[in-house]
Amino acid sequence: MASSESGSAAPRRADARRNRARILAAAEQVFGDQGFAGSTEEIARRAGVSVGTVFRHFPTKRDLLAAIVKDLLQGLENEADRLVRDGDPATALFTFFAHLVAEAAEKKTIVELLADVGTAVPIDTAIGGFADTFARLLDKAQAAGTVDRDVTADDVLALLISTTQGAVRGGWDPRRQERVLSIIFAGLAAPRR
Amino acid sequence: MASSESGSAAPRRADARRNRARILAAAEQVFGDQGFAGSTEEIARRAGVSVGTVFRHFPTKRDLLAAIVKDLLQGLENEADRLVRDGDPATALFTFFAHLVAEAAEKKTIVELLADVGTAVPIDTAIGGFADTFARLLDKAQAAGTVDRDVTADDVLALLISTTQGAVRGGWDPRRQERVLSIIFAGLAAPRR
Amino acid sequence: MASSESGSAAPRRADARRNRARILAAAEQVFGDQGFAGSTEEIARRAGVSVGTVFRHFPTKRDLLAAIVKDLLQGLENEADRLVRDGDPATALFTFFAHLVAEAAEKKTIVELLADVGTAVPIDTAIGGFADTFARLLDKAQAAGTVDRDVTADDVLALLISTTQGAVRGGWDPRRQERVLSIIFAGLAAPRR
Amino acid sequence: MASSESGSAAPRRADARRNRARILAAAEQVFGDQGFAGSTEEIARRAGVSVGTVFRHFPTKRDLLAAIVKDLLQGLENEADRLVRDGDPATALFTFFAHLVAEAAEKKTIVELLADVGTAVPIDTAIGGFADTFARLLDKAQAAGTVDRDVTADDVLALLISTTQGAVRGGWDPRRQERVLSIIFAGLAAPRR
DNA sequence: GATGAATGAGAGTTCATTCAT
DNA sequence: AATGAATGAACTCTCATTCAT
């Protein structure tokens, strides 16, 4: 009774936990194929479960999307921590930046939805979770002289949103992605004015 | 492919022409307020017209969106032509790039829809209309030495899509927008590798 | 644009008017058979119309009920006016009272719903429409000496609600109804205290 | 017919007995607040029990309602017996009648449901339990001369249903209730025809 | 050409009831 | 006996699209 928002973490019973996972997977598929318009019934079908069960786990369609996004971000944040600790200060910022863009390109539709559906998880909230990480990575890079001192963490986040959305909406191949990144990274390195 | 797809150009009768314009305006408002989910009936209401009329002009909701986008792009291309002719070769590329981003930020929702709704007008088709323009502006800039020779027109278009989408989805204030652009422009100017 | 609440009066087009009437009739049937739980789809079917049409006429299930009740009351009020004008002062009150009870017994389920479903038309509002009429009938009866002077119009209305509900819920046969009324009328006539 | 319909009387185990009571109490609350539409899950929650348990005790929602009503009536019948034995013959009928109306006004929603929901306990069955009691009270009153000889027990029951339902549906304040009763009692006393 | 009523598939959501744990 | 997850039919309502007037 204490800690449970709607559709939160893991149920107690094993079968329920299994179902929750299946539903999330099915939803990722369906949203991926048809966008947020994909029907709940279709999700239930693919999860091998009845609609009622979907709604028991996620009282609202939006909650479903939010849960998917949350999982996705969780994974990324874990990787981030590792990089902050162990990466080369001079390049870790670039590495992580590129990594996020690549991930986004892979999870295309989810990232699209992230920005679309009113407010499931507003995009800046989502990316905001990385604010600290980037602030730290930026510090190190500036200390190492690979990024101009005038650049702020907010600048980097804004560029991240851009590149991420560009990758997702523009339908880039890996070469294009690499070239775009290299231009942006050059811009970050260049002394301003 | 030239002059008469469904709902294209201008009807003969004056009242019909007037209605077409009203409907487009109303649709731009409604889509702007409520996204593509805004109902056809609402559009009809705001246009002071009945649903039937909306459908006579645009057989499908998507056609409506396509028409709006087409108008928007038409306007921009006109401005582009002027710039190519009269602008300062060293900076015209940057000026036009910034102009497009600003426009996008203004027409937020329409640009969002551009990328979202399946295929009203796929984003690269839309932006592709500027390919020639940018190719020419890029040439001049490289000749003037304000952009690195390694940069291609496709690179520029990719960056345009990114910044455009970033501006629209990220909810930037003008200062952020300016800073982001200046970093990207610096990246374009910097000699590669 | 001026005078039209939801589901109000009569549409312009003849077919629409016909449909509206059919829907009302079907709804009266269905509500009568199954109470307010009867489904909209069933109503549509019996009206020979699709659900969409039902909802175009009455945007809410409750609106449908309200419309039925309104029609019912309208009819009764018309009869009331006639009685006030032409009836025998000494007995008109009793006549009209008995008439309403009989009507209620006939339209059983509708009257039940009147009181049940939250607030489609709150029962006192409904009966309140007769307040004036009863006030006038009561005056005349008291002048004629057939009702005790201590009785107020509110008393009469309260008794009307009672008898009405009794008739509807109690499943009285005509004899029972007559006996109950005669006792109540005797009570009204009797000098108080 | 005597002791073991579904969900009847008292379970053996102490905890089960406790649960049964809790569920009944919770259901009375919930039905009181939200009518018969109140959800089983809500009832379970308020009883501090799971849905499964509710259904083990009362296989159907309607059974729950029936049980509540049964309890309510049981209590009233006990009081009735006392009155028949000890009350003043001349007034006991009136006293008990008024008492029932007051009770009904208190348990408003339950009494509403009594008459509404198809058949949990049909209203005349419910009130029929008092038939004997009233027959006896009526006898005494007629012997004492406070009620006209022409009045039958069925008349009294019909009036009881009326007043009861009137009180519940009409939203009377105590004064109105008193006035209505006094008129009805006057009617009972008055010599007929 | 315009109107606006009709269509009807489909959506999200609820809830009594069943059943594995 | 109790739990609480699962079921799935049912419900109200929306909306792009068609078509009689």
Side-chain angles (χ1 to χ4, degrees):
Chain A
M1 200 180 266
S3 73
S4 77
E5 308 146 33
S6 270
S8 70
R12 252 164 217 140
R13 262 166 60 173
D15 54 346
R17 219 153 37 226
R18 209 178 321 126
N19 278 341
R20 203 192 113 101
R22 270 187 197 156
I23 292 169
L24 276 174
E28 204 172 320
Q29 266 184 51
V30 171
F31 287 160
D33 289 2
Q34 332 188 21
F36 193 63
S39 84
T40 312
E41 206 100 23
E42 169 78 11
I43 292 174
R45 203 174 312 127
R46 287 210 209 173
V49 145
S50 84
V51 232
T53 303
V54 174
F55 277 92
R56 163 173 278 265
H57 284 279
F58 307 94
T60 271
K61 212 186 172 187
R62 207 168 252 166
D63 290 332
L64 233 186
L65 181 55
I68 293 178
V69 171
K70 205 175 157 194
D71 277 14
L72 188 71
L73 294 177
Q74 195 51 255
L76 292 176
E77 280 175 46
N78 293 344
E79 301 184 41
D81 288 344
R82 237 176 298 145
L83 252 179
V84 175
R85 253 185 284 115
D86 312 338
D88 170 2
T91 59
L93 175 67
F94 301 134
T95 310
F96 187 49
F97 193 113
H99 178 64
L100 286 183
V101 174
E103 278 292 314
E106 195 132 317
K107 302 278 180 180
K108 242 179 202 294
T109 335
I110 301 304
V111 174
E112 284 185 36
L113 291 177
L114 179 61
D116 285 358
V117 182
T119 39
V121 176
I123 196 171
D124 32 23
T125 303
I127 295 241
F130 297 117
D132 280 359
T133 308
F134 270 106
R136 255 173 287 154
L137 292 172
L138 177 60
D139 259 5
K140 296 192 182 176
Q142 287 174 325
T146 49
V147 169
D148 182 68
R149 300 220 84 104
D150 181 52
V151 170
T152 70
D154 281 349
D155 292 337
V156 177
L157 289 178
L159 284 164
L160 179 63
I161 292 180
S162 290
T163 329
T164 274
Q165 292 290 330
V168 161
R169 317 254 171 197
W172 298 344
D173 57 40
R175 266 201 63 234
R176 172 105 298 114
Q177 198 164 299
E178 198 203 309
R179 291 182 62 88
V180 165
L181 285 175
S182 92
I183 293 174
I184 286 180
F185 292 165
L188 288 171
R192 309 298 293 294
R193 197 103 343 146
Chain B
M1 197 181 269
S3 75
S4 113
E5 306 145 32
S6 271
S8 69
R12 261 173 206 127
R13 264 166 59 171
D15 55 343
R17 218 155 39 230
R18 208 178 323 122
N19 278 344
R20 205 192 111 99
R22 271 188 195 156
I23 292 170
L24 277 174
E28 199 173 324
Q29 265 184 51
V30 171
F31 288 158
D33 289 1
Q34 334 188 21
F36 194 62
S39 82
T40 315
E41 206 101 24
E42 170 79 10
I43 292 173
R45 203 174 312 125
R46 286 210 210 176
V49 144
S50 83
V51 232
T53 303
V54 173
F55 276 89
R56 166 168 286 269
H57 283 281
F58 306 93
T60 271
K61 212 184 172 187
R62 205 167 254 163
D63 292 331
L64 234 185
L65 182 54
I68 293 177
V69 170
K70 204 174 160 195
D71 278 14
L72 187 70
L73 294 178
Q74 194 53 254
L76 292 175
E77 280 174 49
N78 293 343
E79 301 185 40
D81 288 344
R82 237 176 297 144
L83 253 178
V84 176
R85 252 184 285 114
D86 313 337
D88 169 3
T91 58
L93 174 67
F94 301 136
T95 310
F96 188 49
F97 192 113
H99 178 65
L100 286 184
V101 174
E103 277 293 311
E106 195 131 316
K107 302 277 181 180
K108 237 178 201 295
T109 333
I110 301 303
V111 175
E112 284 186 36
L113 291 177
L114 179 61
D116 285 358
V117 180
T119 38
V121 176
I123 197 171
D124 31 24
T125 303
I127 294 239
F130 298 116
D132 281 358
T133 309
F134 270 106
R136 257 172 287 153
L137 291 172
L138 178 60
D139 259 4
K140 297 191 182 177
Q142 287 174 326
T146 49
V147 168
D148 183 68
R149 299 220 85 99
D150 182 52
V151 171
T152 70
D154 281 347
D155 292 338
V156 177
L157 288 178
L159 283 165
L160 179 64
I161 292 179
S162 290
T163 327
T164 273
Q165 291 289 329
V168 161
R169 319 254 173 195
W172 298 344
D173 56 42
R175 267 202 60 233
R176 173 106 296 114
Q177 198 164 299
E178 197 203 309
R179 292 182 61 90
V180 165
L181 285 176
S182 90
I183 293 175
I184 286 180
F185 293 165
L188 287 172
R192 310 296 294 292
R193 199 93 352 135
Chain C
M1 198 180 266
S3 74
S4 79
E5 307 148 33
S6 272
S8 69
R12 252 163 218 141
R13 261 164 60 173
D15 54 345
R17 217 154 40 227
R18 209 178 321 126
N19 278 341
R20 204 193 112 102
R22 271 188 196 155
I23 292 170
L24 276 174
E28 202 172 321
Q29 265 184 52
V30 171
F31 287 158
D33 288 2
Q34 334 188 19
F36 193 62
S39 82
T40 313
E41 207 99 24
E42 170 78 10
I43 292 173
R45 202 174 313 127
R46 287 210 210 174
V49 144
S50 85
V51 231
T53 303
V54 175
F55 278 92
R56 164 173 277 265
H57 285 278
F58 307 94
T60 272
K61 212 185 171 187
R62 206 167 253 165
D63 291 333
L64 233 185
L65 182 54
I68 293 177
V69 171
K70 204 174 158 195
D71 277 14
L72 189 70
L73 294 178
Q74 194 53 253
L76 293 176
E77 281 175 47
N78 294 343
E79 302 185 39
D81 288 344
R82 238 174 298 144
L83 253 177
V84 176
R85 251 184 286 117
D86 312 338
D88 170 4
T91 59
L93 174 67
F94 301 135
T95 310
F96 188 48
F97 193 113
H99 179 64
L100 285 184
V101 174
E103 277 292 313
E106 194 132 319
K107 301 277 181 182
K108 243 179 201 292
T109 335
I110 300 305
V111 175
E112 284 187 36
L113 291 177
L114 179 61
D116 284 359
V117 181
T119 38
V121 177
I123 196 171
D124 31 23
T125 303
I127 295 240
F130 298 116
D132 280 359
T133 308
F134 271 107
R136 254 171 290 154
L137 292 172
L138 177 59
D139 259 5
K140 297 192 182 177
Q142 288 174 324
T146 49
V147 169
D148 183 68
R149 299 218 86 102
D150 182 53
V151 171
T152 70
D154 282 347
D155 292 337
V156 177
L157 289 178
L159 283 164
L160 179 64
I161 293 180
S162 291
T163 327
T164 274
Q165 293 289 330
V168 162
R169 319 254 171 195
W172 298 344
D173 57 40
R175 266 202 63 234
R176 173 101 300 113
Q177 198 163 299
E178 197 202 309
R179 292 182 61 88
V180 165
L181 285 176
S182 92
I183 293 174
I184 286 179
F185 294 164
L188 288 171
R192 311 296 295 290
R193 198 96 346 140
Chain D
M1 198 181 269
S3 74
S4 111
E5 308 145 32
S6 270
S8 70
R12 262 173 207 126
R13 264 166 58 171
D15 55 342
R17 218 155 38 230
R18 210 177 322 125
N19 278 343
R20 205 193 112 98
R22 271 187 195 156
I23 292 169
L24 276 174
E28 200 172 325
Q29 265 185 51
V30 170
F31 288 158
D33 289 1
Q34 334 187 20
F36 194 61
S39 81
T40 315
E41 207 101 22
E42 170 80 9
I43 293 173
R45 204 175 310 128
R46 287 210 209 176
V49 145
S50 81
V51 232
T53 304
V54 173
F55 276 89
R56 168 168 285 268
H57 284 280
F58 306 93
T60 272
K61 212 185 173 187
R62 204 168 255 164
D63 292 331
L64 234 185
L65 182 55
I68 293 177
V69 171
K70 205 174 160 196
D71 278 15
L72 187 71
L73 294 177
Q74 194 54 253
L76 293 176
E77 280 175 48
N78 293 343
E79 300 185 42
D81 288 345
R82 236 175 298 144
L83 254 178
V84 175
R85 252 184 285 116
D86 312 337
D88 170 3
T91 60
L93 175 67
F94 301 136
T95 310
F96 187 49
F97 192 113
H99 178 65
L100 286 183
V101 173
E103 278 292 312
E106 195 132 318
K107 303 275 181 181
K108 238 178 201 295
T109 333
I110 301 303
V111 175
E112 284 186 37
L113 291 176
L114 180 59
D116 284 358
V117 181
T119 39
V121 176
I123 197 170
D124 32 23
T125 305
I127 295 241
F130 298 115
D132 281 359
T133 309
F134 271 107
R136 256 172 288 152
L137 292 172
L138 177 59
D139 259 5
K140 297 193 182 178
Q142 287 174 325
T146 49
V147 170
D148 183 68
R149 297 221 85 102
D150 181 53
V151 171
T152 70
D154 282 347
D155 292 339
V156 177
L157 288 178
L159 284 165
L160 179 63
I161 292 180
S162 292
T163 327
T164 274
Q165 293 289 329
V168 161
R169 318 253 171 198
W172 298 345
D173 57 41
R175 266 202 62 232
R176 171 106 295 114
Q177 198 164 299
E178 197 202 308
R179 291 182 62 91
V180 165
L181 285 175
S182 92
I183 292 174
I184 286 180
F185 292 164
L188 288 171
R192 312 298 294 292
R193 201 101 345 143

